[in-house]
Amino acid sequence: MLANDNIIPFCFSDIFGLICKTSDLTKLCSLIDKCYFAFKDAVAPFTLFAPTDQEIINQFAEDDIPCDVLGFHGVSGEALKVTDFNCEAGDSSLIGMVNGKNTRVKCKNGMPYAIKGGGNNSPANFIETDIEASNGIIHRSEEHTSELQSRQYL
């Protein structure tokens, strides 16, 4: 049991449980445990973009992951499957995140393959999509989707 299990909102517990049961998402699990309040105003269902441990390690020192990063990985009020993403150019491909910022879906031949947050040098390719939970959808990615260069979102 994690330290904040008793105060994480019930509606977030299923996605949280799935993340924490996945062997290459332990860093994200720890971040959720530490920073659950990033979702305090969020409502289910959720869409969560889940970077692997390796990508989190590539971007941050072990204990230097800002809590604001978590808010740039979730969508409140929508369980978005890959087929819900808009592949048209422009603002229609933007996705509003829990922290109020936007990220963008990247597509090839009309099929979403990645997500790109502001400041990332390259898109985060999806490695597993449409993982269903009772309170939303998880998409695993191989690269962190937060603002990494200028940290303007933090």
Side-chain angles (χ1 to χ4, degrees):
M1 178 187 249
L2 296 171
N4 293 320
D5 270 354
N6 59 335
I7 53 178
I8 291 174
F10 174 77
C11 59
F12 195 58
S13 63
D14 190 36
I15 283 181
F16 179 73
L18 288 174
I19 292 294
C20 292
K21 291 177 187 173
T22 304
S23 63
D24 67 343
L25 299 177
T26 60
K27 300 292 182 194
L28 182 58
C29 175
S30 294
L31 185 63
I32 291 169
D33 184 45
K34 174 178 128 183
C35 306
Y36 64 91
F37 58 84
F39 278 80
K40 70 178 172 52
D41 295 325
V43 295
F46 302 104
T47 303
L48 189 66
F49 297 95
T52 62
D53 287 347
Q54 189 57 54
E55 290 310 316
I56 291 175
I57 290 167
N58 289 347
Q59 302 301 332
F60 297 100
E62 184 69 26
D63 295 320
D64 188 33
I65 305 170
C67 285
D68 289 343
V69 167
L70 184 59
F72 202 63
H73 286 82
V75 177
S76 175
E78 296 183 86
L80 299 171
K81 292 188 173 188
V82 169
T83 54
D84 296 323
F85 297 146
N86 190 331
C87 285
E88 296 191 22
D91 289 349
S92 64
S93 66
L94 294 175
I95 299 172
M97 306 307 278
V98 168
N99 68 353
K101 304 298 180 184
N102 292 319
T103 192
R104 184 177 305 275
V105 172
K106 294 297 196 176
C107 299
K108 186 173 184 177
N109 299 324
M111 183 64 182
Y113 71 90
I115 192 161
K116 185 177 184 304
N120 286 0
N121 292 327
S122 60
N125 293 320
F126 297 128
I127 56 175
E128 187 177 5
T129 59
D130 297 344
I131 303 165
E132 293 189 28
S134 65
N135 61 343
I137 300 290
I138 301 168
H139 304 287
R140 289 176 59 225
S141 64
E142 67 177 2
E143 187 174 313
H144 209 280
T145 56
S146 71
E147 170 64 57
L148 300 175
Q149 302 302 320
S150 67
R151 304 273 178 136
Q152 67 186 17
Y153 291 111
L154 301 179

